[in-house]
Amino acid sequence: MREATMSDPLPRPGRRRPIDPDILVERHRLALMSMTSTEALDRFAARLGIDTRSLARRFVTALSERAGIDYEQMLRVELAREGVDSVLADRARIGPRLLMWSAATTDMFTVCGADRRPAWRDTFTPEDLGSGRVSTVAALKAIELAGHWIAEWGAQAGTLRLNLATNQGIDLAGLHRFAGGVSVVVDVAAVPLDNPAAQQCLHREPVSSRYLDLTDLLHPPGAPA
């Protein structure tokens, strides 16, 4: 974990209890999955008393094994973005902020807008299925849609909070590269419970994105950033 975590105040002597990162991650799994940065994970770990290198290593392992969170991949993506995304980030900061949800079955994807209604649902193409990563492809469809509507709105760039139905097998680096190519700064989280896109995957009727309005995708005040 980042060195900053190790500088947080230690618990007062005499009041420390044994810490088991596996139990902590299991207990807070859903909250951890909703976090979109290593900084947020580090702050959370510090509050839980994970303040040594040994505990940090066990925490990172528990994140992967119990919550499907690849901390090292997240960190690599963040470090890569720091050097190349400054112009995009500045443009996105004054552009529209969108909120979307994505999910996939073995042959279909569903994308929902901020209003939790289906914005796009269709079958995968043979090329999509050939990748073997349907959840990643569903996320790419959401980013593609966000980029299209940001451009239609007339902005140079925008931001997208993307809530996935699962984080298993997700190519985070690929999502961020694709997002940069369509002028989107994307924050990716996993929200497996009460995910409208996952619920809408129970339906099979295609939903065309051509009738969307940007207001259907705008990030509502008070929703997770």
Side-chain angles (χ1 to χ4, degrees):
M1 300 179 73
R2 290 181 187 265
E3 291 297 321
T5 302
M6 305 309 165
S7 64
D8 288 288
L10 296 175
R12 285 183 292 174
R15 300 192 63 182
R16 176 132 184 181
R17 297 181 179 179
I19 294 173
D20 187 331
D22 288 288
I23 293 176
L24 292 176
V25 170
E26 186 66 36
R27 183 178 298 160
H28 301 286
R29 185 173 64 90
L30 294 178
L32 290 163
M33 289 171 68
S34 72
M35 297 178 185
T36 62
S37 69
T38 57
E39 181 182 3
L41 292 170
D42 288 351
R43 287 198 304 266
F44 198 88
R47 290 200 302 271
L48 294 176
I50 295 173
D51 48 28
T52 68
R53 292 182 184 276
S54 175
L55 284 174
R57 286 193 295 269
R58 291 172 57 195
F59 180 68
V60 169
T61 300
L63 287 174
S64 175
E65 294 179 351
R66 298 186 176 272
I69 299 170
D70 190 334
Y71 182 95
E72 297 298 338
Q73 182 182 197
M74 290 177 67
L75 185 56
R76 287 194 299 271
V77 168
E78 290 169 357
L79 292 174
R81 290 175 65 183
E82 285 176 4
V84 299
D85 279 2
S86 58
V87 174
L88 176 60
D90 288 342
R91 291 174 175 174
R93 205 169 287 122
I94 59 175
R97 298 180 65 242
L98 310 183
L99 170 63
M100 301 172 74
W101 312 69
S102 73
T105 63
T106 56
D107 65 338
M108 295 190 74
F109 68 88
T110 301
V111 174
C112 288
D115 59 2
R116 303 175 67 89
R117 294 185 298 178
W120 191 10
R121 181 169 56 229
D122 208 343
T123 55
F124 287 116
T125 66
E127 291 77 15
D128 292 335
L129 294 174
S131 72
R133 292 185 171 185
V134 293
S135 294
T136 293
V137 175
L140 290 171
K141 300 288 188 184
I143 296 170
E144 176 187 344
L145 186 60
H148 170 76
W149 282 103
I150 288 169
E152 284 287 312
W153 191 73
Q156 290 183 301
T159 60
L160 169 64
R161 162 75 182 219
L162 179 56
N163 293 328
L164 313 179
T166 179
N167 55 11
Q168 297 296 323
I170 293 294
D171 179 8
L172 273 180
L175 295 185
H176 285 282
R177 283 195 301 271
F178 182 80
V182 293
S183 301
V184 175
V185 173
V186 62
D187 291 318
V188 181
V191 183
L193 295 184
D194 194 31
N195 188 310
Q199 295 162 4
Q200 288 294 331
C201 277
L202 299 174
H203 303 281
R204 304 284 302 177
E205 302 82 7
V207 175
S208 173
S209 62
R210 72 180 64 182
Y211 304 111
L212 269 179
D213 188 274
L214 181 66
T215 56
D216 298 327
L217 308 177
L218 289 176
H219 196 296

